[in-house]
Amino acid sequence: MDAVAYTNDTDTTRTPRTRHIAKESTAKVAKTPESELMTVEEYFGILRKRVNEYYDNL
């Protein structure tokens, strides 16, 4: 797109449009191997156990 011109009684100024470009992360994060990932059932089993223990201690 072209720059936008703002007119004033005394002069005209041109201001360019600014773009926000996301910078790529310089640090590469290593992915976890499939063998180390937990299943959904394992995750919610652990969560359910923690919640039950929490409420048992109340």
Side-chain angles (χ1 to χ4, degrees):
M1 296 193 94
D2 294 331
V4 178
Y6 295 100
T7 56
N8 198 348
D9 290 341
T10 57
D11 61 333
T12 301
T13 57
R14 293 177 63 99
T15 56
R17 286 183 58 100
T18 57
R19 290 187 193 167
H20 295 285
I21 300 172
K23 295 181 181 179
E24 290 185 27
S25 177
T26 56
K28 297 286 182 179
V29 177
K31 293 187 177 182
T32 305
E34 290 283 329
S35 60
E36 293 183 15
L37 296 176
M38 71 171 61
T39 64
V40 174
E41 290 82 13
E42 289 174 326
Y43 175 79
F44 283 107
I46 293 169
L47 181 63
R48 187 177 302 109
K49 181 180 175 185
R50 288 183 181 175
V51 169
N52 289 339
E53 287 175 357
Y54 174 79
Y55 282 109
D56 287 342
N57 289 331
L58 290 180

